[in-house]
Amino acid sequence: MIQKREIYDALKKYFGYDEFRPLQYDIIKNIFAKNDSLVIMPTGGGKSICYQLPSTLLPGITIVISPLIALMKDQVDGLNANGITAAFLNSSQSQEDQAEVFHLAEKKELKILYIAPESLSMFDNFLKTLEVSLIAIDEAHCISAWGHDFRPAYTRLNFLKKAFPKAALIALTATADKATREDILKQLEIPNASKFISSFDRPNLSLEVRPANDRIKQIVKFIQQRPNQSGIIYCLSRKTTESIAEKLQNSGINAACYHAGIDHEKRADIQEKFIQDKIDIICATVAFGMGIDKSNVRWVIHYNLPKNVEGYYQEIGRAGRDGLDSETILFHSYGDVIQLQKFAKDSKNAEVQLSKIERMKQYADALSCRRKILLNYFGEHIIKDCGNCDVCKNPPTFFDGTILAQKILSGIMRLQEKEPLNVVIDFLKGSKNYHILEKNYQNLKTYGIISDIKWKDLQQYMIQLINLGFCEVAFHESNHIKVTPLGRNVLFQGTKVSLTSLQDFNKKKTKQVEVIVDSSEYAELYEILRTLRRTIADEKNIAPYLVFGDAALRDMQKKLPLNVTEFLEVSGVGQKKADTYGEIFISEIKKYVEENNIEIKKTTIEVATPKKERKKREKGGTYKTSYNLYEQGLSIEEIAKERKLAKTTILGHLLKMYEMGFELKISDFITDDEFAKVKKAVNEVKDPSGMKDFFIYLEEKISYDKIRVGLALLNRG
Ligand code: ADP
Ligand code: MG
């Protein structure tokens, strides 16, 4: 019997983690009990460890079936970097490479072997010579013709259980629907497999939906605020991916496009460069991303509305696999909805597809917590609002829109319900364009009845009316807008209409592009470590994440390890990586600590406690150093210069000292008048925990730094 301690030791030794994520331990235990397992976990949930870890403790070899030939090399490199001997076999390899793999296996020097399903029969004889303890079938949804990535070779995998009756089998996927689940069990002939279905919640992903106005402009600004971050922009068409990539490149952004029309070699190259952080941004169709283990994708943008919620969730799931905060934005456009519905109508299972689009649209139109809606879709129910979606952060406000609705609906009637949305808007706004004049619409009643609302806003209000069912789009009649019976009630029975105020969104726009500053403590060290990682990766010609992931660097920034024992406590640092990179990283951290006079007081740990406790450190040293200089009469600029730190960092130090009870001469930082304004704003802004709302509320006239000072003043009371 395998001991719990052995499993935890392996987790630390090979992967550098102290804790399992939910279900991982149970799944691993199930494998050691020689049972079969079906694992459903969201993208980025941590499925790989469930079979990679047992392979290190089991006798013989673990075979992993994976459809992602292009990614096998990365996965194998990652395992080898962690000290687990692994290799792969597929049709793209040379005979010599294959012979090398056979040889290693023969010598029993392989723990994990990846094979593409299509290549299995080719290596039949070789496989029979192996002592196979575990068989993992990754991306197992490929087995189901119901699924979206059906691979015929997967349907022949049932022979595995017969060929290796002693091996446990584990099938893993992120696709949750029931039909696929049943199909997997049936086709693999593992009816008694234990099922592990984890929560689909990914709380580190923020959710945001924006109207699709000036998308490119919004995207460029978004990217410029986040230099050096990796991101993916998903588009519906190949052409769009190309044109966006080009526009981004023209703005000096390091972007490339990716779609199934690009030749194989070029695609592999783009993917590789993205994984290696040599291309920051990929504009792609949904052909991109399955199985990519790039843990530091910091954001995902949907340029177009996706066809269904499943796809959308998989795609945003590619952000933040390392568990660090990551952002997602979905651009919602009326045009996309029409386009998708048109495609769907002409397809075979039109009804199913249309209803999936409808669910996607409901999500995008939502006026309540978006995460609740998403998780609901996957059959999970959370009680509390998430606090990390745009609706939670900026709840909509409503107004009585009856009169506005009446004006719009009667305009539609005057046009005899024979014009599409844009013409209705032109008409209501009193436009004098060709189409209007040609049809003499300027002579009709209600022409120009809404002149005080901007075109784009009016469009949004009309979309709201469509979503609320007061009017509708006749898809088979050139998208003419028609008034529904419900809409007639508004016109003739006085039914009231409540609309969402658009000001909330418009107010959020700021003109300036400000780079979002990393305000975490020792942020400069993080940049130093990133550069070091880059240098090592370049020297070895490997992907930076194979050195360390962002999460590990963040943990170094937090824990400031100064010797190997401490270095091993960093999350994501296992034995092999500590041996390979420990010295060079530690010396860089030491240098930083010394140069910045950071005092680290370490509390001694009771040796008897079996659980490794995190050492607590006093961060007071660096604050005090800044404060002492301030007391000597230096300004923030001077202190920043002296300490080679950012001004905002110094301000942060001083405010921390202030909160601890040390004195600051407040008039150095903020005038009485400005303070009064910040104080007033506290009761007015929607989200008093976010600085941005203050900044906007104060009409961008009071700087972020001053707002910080004002809030610190209020905090101390
Ligand atoms: P997927 O479920 O999509 O296959 P992966 O297995 O690739 O996800 O894991 C996603 C990321 O989560 C990887 O970077 C992995 O190192 C990390 N991870 C997995 N398990 C843990 C854990 N117990 N603690 C911390 N990070 C983990
Ligand atoms: Mg995976």
Side-chain angles (χ1 to χ4, degrees):
M1 256 295 277
I2 197 96
Q3 301 291 312
K4 185 172 182 176
R5 194 180 44 77
E6 289 176 85
I7 296 176
Y8 271 87
D9 283 351
L11 179 68
K12 186 68 211 166
K13 178 175 172 200
Y14 294 108
F15 302 94
Y17 301 135
D18 291 317
E19 299 296 337
F20 283 106
R21 290 199 184 147
L23 292 187
Q24 285 177 330
Y25 181 71
D26 299 326
I27 295 165
I28 289 168
K29 255 191 359 201
N30 196 50
I31 289 176
F32 283 115
K34 294 197 162 64
N35 296 326
D36 299 329
S37 326
L38 171 66
V39 173
I40 319 259
M41 256 189 209
T43 307
K47 289 187 281 297
S48 324
I49 279 186
C50 300
Y51 54 84
Q52 290 174 345
L53 185 146
S55 80
T56 65
L57 297 170
L58 285 166
I61 197 166
T62 292
I63 291 182
V64 183
I65 310 294
S66 161
L68 309 160
I69 298 183
L71 298 165
M72 279 185 185
K73 190 176 170 308
D74 292 318
Q75 278 164 336
V76 164
D77 286 348
L79 285 164
N80 288 331
N82 281 336
I84 301 173
T85 51
F88 64 88
L89 282 176
N90 66 40
S91 50
S92 74
Q93 264 170 323
S94 69
Q95 296 225 324
E96 289 89 70
D97 285 347
Q98 288 179 359
E100 169 75 18
V101 177
F102 297 152
H103 185 63
L104 282 174
E106 214 171 288
K107 286 197 296 179
K108 299 199 183 304
E109 278 177 14
L110 272 187
K111 277 284 139 198
I112 299 191
L113 179 62
Y114 280 81
I115 307 185
E118 289 82 3
S119 316
L120 264 176
S121 50
M122 224 163 89
F123 302 113
D124 224 12
N125 288 333
F126 159 67
L127 291 177
K128 278 187 196 139
T129 66
L130 301 176
E131 181 193 358
V132 179
S133 300
L134 175 62
I135 299 166
I137 301 190
D138 206 2
E139 313 290 348
H141 59 280
C142 294
I143 211 166
S144 172
W146 300 106
H148 42 95
D149 303 307
F150 177 56
R151 303 269 288 229
Y154 262 69
T155 57
R156 294 195 292 272
L157 295 182
N158 58 346
F159 82 91
L160 284 169
K161 198 64 198 166
K162 289 178 201 138
F164 303 101
K166 281 198 207 133
L169 197 146
I170 175 172
L172 314 100
T173 173
T175 302
D177 78 87
K178 253 192 156 157
T180 309
R181 238 181 261 171
E182 298 299 321
D183 227 15
I184 295 172
L185 297 178
K186 203 170 117 211
Q187 293 204 42
L188 291 175
E189 297 177 22
I190 49 166
N192 299 321
S194 322
K195 298 180 197 80
F196 298 92
I197 300 166
S198 87
S199 164
F200 266 57
D201 195 9
R202 297 276 314 278
N204 63 319
L205 302 184
S206 71
L207 306 169
E208 183 180 352
V209 177
R210 297 185 185 179
N213 306 332
D214 295 330
R215 273 176 277 195
I216 285 290
K217 224 160 114 193
Q218 291 195 56
I219 291 173
V220 168
K221 181 174 154 192
F222 178 88
I223 295 171
Q224 285 172 342
Q225 288 174 319
R226 294 159 180 76
N228 301 323
Q229 289 192 1
S230 282
I232 307 174
I233 302 172
Y234 280 109
C235 315
L236 264 185
S237 76
R238 296 175 181 184
K239 230 168 130 189
T240 319
T241 66
E242 287 168 7
S243 78
I244 297 178
E246 194 186 321
K247 283 177 191 152
L248 295 184
Q249 285 158 4
N250 291 342
S251 299
I253 291 165
N254 177 5
C257 70
Y258 184 107
H259 56 69
I262 297 173
D263 79 69
H264 186 76
E265 230 162 82
K266 181 93 202 286
R267 257 191 295 163
D269 182 56
I270 293 169
Q271 179 169 299
E272 192 64 18
K273 290 209 170 102
F274 182 60
I275 289 174
Q276 297 199 348
D277 292 349
K278 286 179 179 159
I279 291 175
D280 290 336
I281 288 145
I282 298 277
C283 309
T285 59
V286 294
F288 180 75
M290 188 178 41
I292 281 198
D293 182 19
K294 179 174 165 67
S295 60
N296 66 339
V297 175
R298 291 272 70 89
W299 52 262
V300 168
I301 291 178
H302 280 86
Y303 188 84
N304 299 106
L305 192 77
K307 278 185 225 160
N308 53 54
V309 177
E310 290 91 342
Y312 168 68
Y313 203 59
Q314 289 236 353
E315 283 141 27
I316 62 170
R318 287 170 193 143
R321 293 165 84 93
D322 51 17
L324 300 179
D325 286 346
S326 306
E327 298 168 279
T328 77
I329 296 176
L330 164 66
F331 284 110
H332 184 17
S333 97
Y334 170 81
D336 283 349
V337 176
I338 306 261
Q339 176 106 358
L340 286 174
Q341 282 171 334
K342 255 188 199 149
F343 284 151
K345 280 211 161 128
D346 298 332
S347 74
K348 261 192 251 152
N349 54 348
E351 214 170 301
V352 176
Q353 293 211 26
L354 281 171
S355 79
K356 291 205 167 197
I357 295 168
E358 190 53 35
R359 295 293 293 268
M360 192 62 229
K361 199 164 101 39
Q362 282 166 5
Y363 167 79
D365 289 330
L367 299 173
S368 58
C369 173
R370 289 195 206 275
R371 200 171 311 267
K372 265 192 181 166
I373 298 176
L374 273 182
L375 292 175
N376 238 318
Y377 185 86
F378 295 113
E380 234 176 278
H381 307 287
I382 52 169
I383 295 160
K384 267 173 92 184
D385 286 347
C386 77
N388 196 17
C389 72
D390 53 343
V391 182
C392 283
K393 286 179 193 160
N394 225 332
T397 48
F398 298 93
F399 67 96
D400 180 356
T402 311
I403 292 180
L404 177 60
Q406 284 169 343
K407 285 181 183 171
I408 294 173
L409 295 172
S410 61
I412 299 171
M413 298 289 270
R414 292 280 167 195
L415 296 174
Q416 306 197 351
E417 302 179 291
K418 281 199 172 123
E419 292 295 347
L421 190 74
N422 59 328
V423 177
V424 176
I425 299 172
D426 284 345
F427 173 73
L428 291 169
K429 285 202 55 75
S431 156
K432 293 193 176 60
N433 66 25
Y434 177 73
H435 190 79
I436 297 278
L437 299 179
E438 187 197 37
K439 294 202 172 173
N440 269 326
Y441 283 160
Q442 74 277 16
N443 299 327
L444 293 179
K445 236 180 160 175
T446 67
Y447 171 74
I449 196 175
I450 306 176
S451 53
D452 55 335
I453 296 178
K454 280 196 226 132
W455 204 98
K456 290 248 158 83
D457 289 355
L458 191 51
Q459 183 189 33
Q460 290 301 322
Y461 287 129
M462 282 200 64
I463 291 170
Q464 285 189 35
L465 289 181
I466 294 171
N467 291 336
L468 293 168
F470 293 112
C471 48
E472 65 189 358
V473 185
F475 294 109
H476 282 336
E477 295 172 42
S478 312
N479 299 327
H480 294 167
I481 307 288
K482 308 210 171 229
V483 177
T484 61
L486 202 63
R488 281 168 210 272
N489 289 348
V490 176
L491 283 174
F492 308 118
Q493 317 273 334
T495 300
K496 292 251 176 254
V497 178
S498 178
L499 293 175
T500 319
S501 166
L502 296 178
Q503 275 147 27
D504 301 332
F505 177 76
N506 294 340
K507 222 167 54 180
K508 279 204 286 194
K509 289 185 189 159
T510 49
K511 281 177 215 93
Q512 259 177 325
V513 178
E514 259 187 64
V515 174
I516 296 171
V517 282
D518 175 1
S519 57
S520 58
E521 199 171 13
Y522 313 132
E524 308 80 8
L525 176 62
Y526 180 70
E527 288 310 318
I528 294 170
L529 297 178
R530 258 170 62 96
T531 310
L532 176 61
R533 172 177 70 176
R534 168 96 265 166
T535 314
I536 295 173
D538 283 347
E539 264 169 27
K540 297 190 157 192
N541 196 22
I542 57 172
Y545 83 88
L546 286 180
V547 181
F548 287 117
D550 287 6
L553 297 191
R554 284 287 179 203
D555 210 34
M556 290 177 206
Q557 172 193 355
K558 197 165 127 206
K559 292 185 175 144
L560 303 179
L562 297 178
N563 56 49
V564 178
T565 318
E566 290 171 9
F567 195 65
L568 273 165
E569 279 180 27
V570 171
S571 173
V573 176
Q575 191 58 54
K576 174 96 188 263
K577 293 220 173 143
D579 292 346
T580 321
Y581 305 115
E583 206 176 314
I584 179 161
F585 274 81
I586 290 167
S587 87
E588 202 66 38
I589 295 166
K590 251 192 198 151
K591 199 165 109 201
Y592 176 82
V593 166
E594 278 160 16
E595 279 174 3
N596 291 287
N597 294 318
I598 300 169
E599 258 178 63
I600 301 176
K601 284 188 198 150
K602 296 181 183 176
T603 48
T604 37
I605 297 179
E606 311 239 322
V607 188
T609 41
K611 205 173 163 197
K612 281 179 204 156
E613 285 196 67
R614 257 196 217 142
K615 293 180 183 177
K616 284 184 191 142
R617 269 142 208 204
E618 292 255 337
K619 298 262 166 77
T622 186
Y623 304 158
K624 190 126 201 304
T625 311
S626 296
Y627 186 78
N628 287 345
L629 292 169
Y630 169 76
E631 272 202 312
Q632 289 165 26
L634 271 66
S635 69
I636 289 194
E637 279 86 333
E638 288 164 336
I639 302 171
K641 216 164 162 199
E642 166 90 11
R643 300 204 58 195
K644 294 198 184 63
L645 293 171
K647 277 188 286 181
T648 48
T649 312
I650 302 297
L651 181 67
H653 293 173
L654 298 186
L655 291 178
K656 279 261 164 58
M657 293 299 280
Y658 180 69
E659 274 168 15
M660 290 193 285
F662 290 81
E663 282 316 316
L664 294 182
K665 201 171 147 220
I666 291 303
S667 57
D668 284 350
F669 301 94
I670 187 170
T671 66
D672 286 349
D673 184 42
E674 286 164 337
F675 176 61
K677 282 186 179 145
V678 174
K679 194 170 170 184
K680 183 159 168 276
V682 172
N683 300 319
E684 303 289 331
V685 298
K686 288 235 160 57
D687 174 17
S689 64
M691 302 277 282
K692 202 165 166 197
D693 282 12
F694 279 96
F695 188 60
I696 293 161
Y697 177 83
L698 296 166
E699 297 170 328
E700 308 180 13
K701 285 188 186 127
I702 300 183
S703 72
Y704 277 100
D705 282 349
K706 292 197 174 191
I707 296 171
R708 268 170 91 190
V709 174
L711 292 177
L713 256 174
L714 285 168
N715 272 344
R716 209 173 85 165

